[in-house]
Amino acid sequence: MPTSEHGTHKAFTELPVVDISLLFSEQLEDRVKAAKELDKAARDAGFLYLKGHQITPELMINLKQVVKEYFEQDVDSKMANYIGLSKNHSGYVPIGEEGFYSTEAKKPDLKEAYDIGPDSPSLMARFEKDANTQWPRHEGFKKHVKAYYDAMLSLSRVLFQGFALALGLPEDTFTQQLTVPPSQLRLIHYFDNPDAKETDSGIGAHTDYEFFTILLPTAPGLQVLNGSNEWINVPLVDDCFVINIGDMMEQVSNGLYVATSHRVRQVKEERYSFPFFSSLDYDTVVAPIESLIKNDDTSSYETIICGDHLLAQTIQTFSYLKEKSARGEIDLPENARTLLSFGKPEIKED
Ligand SMILES: O=C(O)CCC(=O)C(=O)O
Ligand SMILES: [Fe+2]
């Protein structure tokens, strides 16, 4: 495992803003120009605000509205679509379902969620070949959430092309393996909490497992660890998504782009947040790209299989999957990594 990569992040005090309008240009030289901006932000911070993404405001407005209505229902109604009832890891995730990083002794994160993935093949394809996404009956939910999922998938394609150019690789390096990726969209609801203290956790410090995440938050609360180990607030910026580098991008870029630690603090106001975790197809072999390995390189990222890595992390995180695993109904993929096994700096909580 590499040990010194954390030093590559700058001591930023706010996130860089990257306008990707030029990634949509017909001209390669324009796309390369935008990719250079992505490259700088990915190296310096591993986190950025994304402008010029061409996602229409209606998609986001409709998503926020229908998700708000959905979560307003009582818990019993929401539990009708409990994630543990699905065959492809989709559905309602009640408070306490996720033992993030096996810190069972810690208080559970104060949030509920609804997880969406592709129909088939899904993250659970090893166990269930034809398992479709579980949708609640709630009016308009499937229509608006699916439209948003599809838009995120398209945007992730553009960004995968941008990151390939940013790394000096052929533009289709990643997208050759982007057919039906097990990318998950999470709809997260952090409860309103007038008594929230600055130190109350909404979600503990972590890095994301995938290549990158496209995040749409509705309120402040997100914090990012900078190169000097300080937690930096991420306020909302109009018309921008927040993008962050995940574990697998760190791996393929041979540590050039580092997965940045982040966490969510409880804020007094109610908060929703919609991360789309961008991955490649299940069978994608994830290893440092040869042209990014230098002769004197001492880093040693071990090769992983994209979907197996995600599945392993998921099985070790969700209570219902831990129980299935204990009953012998599912097993961890071979060579599964334990949680937090990437070469991250020690994650500091205060
Ligand atoms: O709620 C947020 O702003 C971030 C959520 C997050 O980091 C995650 O779900 O991985
Ligand atoms: Fe995250």
Side-chain angles (χ1 to χ4, degrees):
M1 296 282 158
T3 51
S4 60
E5 75 276 27
H6 187 56
T8 60
H9 279 162
K10 298 248 162 80
F12 57 87
T13 53
E14 54 189 24
L15 300 189
V17 180
V18 176
D19 186 339
I20 57 158
S21 305
L22 287 180
L23 281 186
F24 296 91
S25 163
E26 301 275 295
Q27 309 296 327
L28 178 61
E29 61 194 63
D30 285 343
R31 302 200 295 277
V32 169
K33 221 185 258 176
K36 285 199 170 130
E37 298 293 312
L38 262 186
D39 179 59
K40 181 161 172 23
R43 286 177 196 240
D44 290 353
F47 245 97
L48 55 104
Y49 290 113
L50 192 81
K51 272 172 64 161
H53 43 71
Q54 300 199 1
I55 301 292
T56 57
E58 286 74 26
L59 275 175
M60 302 184 224
I61 294 166
N62 291 339
L63 176 81
K64 287 178 193 169
Q65 182 59 34
V66 80
V67 168
K68 185 172 180 329
E69 286 165 16
Y70 169 78
F71 281 123
E72 272 165 9
Q73 299 176 97
D74 58 46
V75 173
D76 284 352
S77 309
K78 291 182 278 195
M79 283 301 280
N81 299 104
Y82 173 51
I83 193 162
L85 301 171
S86 76
K87 294 199 160 49
N88 78 339
H89 193 65
S90 57
Y92 177 65
V93 182
I95 186 167
E97 171 70 29
E98 285 168 282
F100 227 30
Y101 313 128
S102 308
T103 48
E104 246 91 354
K106 253 176 65 172
K107 279 193 288 181
D109 293 334
L110 289 172
K111 65 170 190 346
E112 58 184 347
Y114 200 102
D115 284 358
I116 312 283
D119 281 337
S120 181
S122 76
L123 182 60
M124 306 304 279
R126 286 167 71 93
F127 313 118
E128 296 286 346
K129 287 275 170 272
D130 296 307
N132 288 343
T133 297
Q134 178 175 214
W135 294 103
R137 281 167 172 228
H138 189 83
E139 209 192 322
F141 186 96
K142 179 175 179 182
K143 178 175 164 209
H144 295 306
V145 175
K146 182 145 185 8
Y148 187 80
Y149 184 97
D150 291 344
M152 288 298 105
L153 199 53
S154 302
L155 179 58
S156 81
R157 176 172 294 278
V158 173
L159 286 171
F160 268 119
Q161 287 168 339
F163 278 120
L165 290 178
L167 289 165
L169 305 168
E171 201 167 10
D172 65 350
T173 304
F174 299 122
T175 50
Q176 282 174 5
Q177 288 156 308
L178 187 62
T179 315
V180 191
S183 299
Q184 292 269 330
L185 170 64
R186 301 208 84 187
L187 314 168
I188 312 178
H189 175 215
Y190 300 88
F191 303 104
D192 55 340
N193 181 1
D195 302 326
K197 292 191 283 299
E198 281 224 341
T199 49
D200 285 348
S201 173
I203 183 168
H206 66 283
T207 58
D208 294 345
Y209 313 137
E210 293 78 1
F211 287 81
F212 54 87
T213 304
I214 309 173
L215 179 74
L216 175 65
T218 65
L222 179 63
Q223 294 185 329
V224 174
L225 198 65
N226 76 6
S228 295
N229 260 2
E230 296 153 338
W231 288 105
I232 304 301
N233 287 324
V234 181
L236 296 190
V237 174
D238 281 348
D239 303 324
C240 285
F241 289 103
V242 176
I243 305 288
N244 63 282
I245 298 294
D247 293 342
M248 289 199 269
M249 185 64 92
E250 177 175 331
Q251 172 115 337
V252 290
S253 71
N254 198 31
L256 198 61
Y257 300 161
V258 178
T260 310
S261 298
H262 53 284
R263 69 183 183 187
V264 179
R265 288 327 220 185
Q266 277 290 317
V267 284
K268 294 188 195 309
E269 64 201 289
E270 193 166 37
R271 182 175 189 271
Y272 300 86
S273 139
F274 311 109
F276 179 85
F277 300 106
S278 306
S279 27
L280 295 175
D281 290 340
Y282 193 107
D283 292 330
T284 305
V285 175
V286 182
I289 288 170
E290 220 144 281
S291 62
L292 301 176
I293 302 176
K294 307 214 175 64
N295 288 339
D296 59 350
D297 209 330
T298 55
S299 64
S300 54
Y301 286 100
E302 284 158 35
T303 301
I304 52 176
I305 303 298
C306 175
D308 278 353
H309 175 60
L310 296 179
L311 179 62
Q313 305 299 305
T314 307
I315 292 177
Q316 293 173 83
T317 312
F318 280 76
S319 308
Y320 88 93
L321 290 173
K322 284 190 226 171
E323 285 159 20
K324 277 192 178 201
S325 173
R327 291 196 300 268
E329 291 167 25
I330 56 171
D331 49 4
L332 278 176
E334 256 174 64
N335 304 326
R337 300 275 190 91
T338 53
L339 294 174
L340 277 186
S341 60
F342 268 74
K344 298 293 154 4
E346 195 187 321
I347 293 177
K348 188 186 78 169
E349 288 278 19
D350 54 26

